Amino acid sequence: MTSEKILAILQAALDAFNRNDLEALKEVVDKNITYIIRGRGDVSGTYRGQEAVARALKKVKELTGGTLFALPEVVLMGDNALMAYMRVSGQRPDGRKYDQYQAYLYRFNQGKLIEGQTIPVDQMAFEQFFKD
C-alpha cells in the first residue's frame, strides 16, 4: 500500500472516531482486527474482531460523553505501518479532564486496518481518567 493510501485510511478512521461515528469505522477496519489498549485503565485490554473493537470504542465514548477526540501531531510511516503521536482530550461527566499524549501503532493490509495499539504516554493519568 502507498503512504497516501495508509494516511487516507488513518484520516477516515480518526474523522469517524472524532465525530462519534463508530459505524463508519467498519469501512476501514478489517473484520479480524486485533486492537490493544495498553495500560491498566478500565478500557485497557486486547480486543479481537470488529465487534469487540467497536464495543471498546463505544465504551470509551460513553464514559466521556462523546467528548474524547484525537489530533495527530507526528506521523511516521513504515512498510504497511504507521506510528502516530497524538494529543488526546476529553472530559468525563463528573468533570475529570484528560489532555495527554498517546502513541498509536497501526498496521494495514489490503486497504484495511488489521492491527492497532493505543499506548498512553502518562499511564497514571490514563488509568485515573478511565477509572470508574
Side-chain angles (χ1 to χ4, degrees), residues 37-105:
I37 301 175
R38 300 280 177 193
R40 297 182 311 215
D42 288 353
V43 297
S44 298
T46 300
Y47 303 93
R48 290 184 173 81
Q50 257 186 7
E51 295 306 317
V53 171
R55 281 191 303 274
L57 295 177
K58 182 178 179 186
K59 181 177 180 180
V60 165
K61 288 298 192 170
E62 287 173 350
L63 289 172
T64 64
T67 64
L68 197 73
F69 66 96
L71 297 173
E73 292 196 3
V74 177
V75 176
L76 304 171
M77 303 293 299
D79 187 29
N80 289 324
L82 177 151
M83 186 86 184
Y85 192 68
M86 299 189 206
R87 187 171 197 146
V88 180
S89 301
Q91 184 170 330
R92 296 286 302 266
D94 64 8
R96 280 182 278 171
K97 293 182 180 179
Y98 187 77
D99 187 21
Q100 298 289 328
Y101 287 95
Q102 295 184 172
Y104 294 84
L105 175 61

Side-chain angles (χ1 to χ4, degrees), residues 5-38:
K5 177 68 174 168
I6 290 172
L7 286 172
I9 294 168
L10 173 67
Q11 190 62 56
L14 280 175
D15 288 348
F17 180 82
N18 287 340
R19 71 174 183 270
N20 300 319
D21 185 359
L22 300 181
E23 194 63 31
L25 281 174
K26 291 181 179 179
E27 296 174 20
V28 295
V29 172
D30 186 81
K31 66 179 181 173
N32 296 313
I33 185 172
T34 297
Y35 200 94
I36 301 168
I37 301 175
R38 300 280 177 193

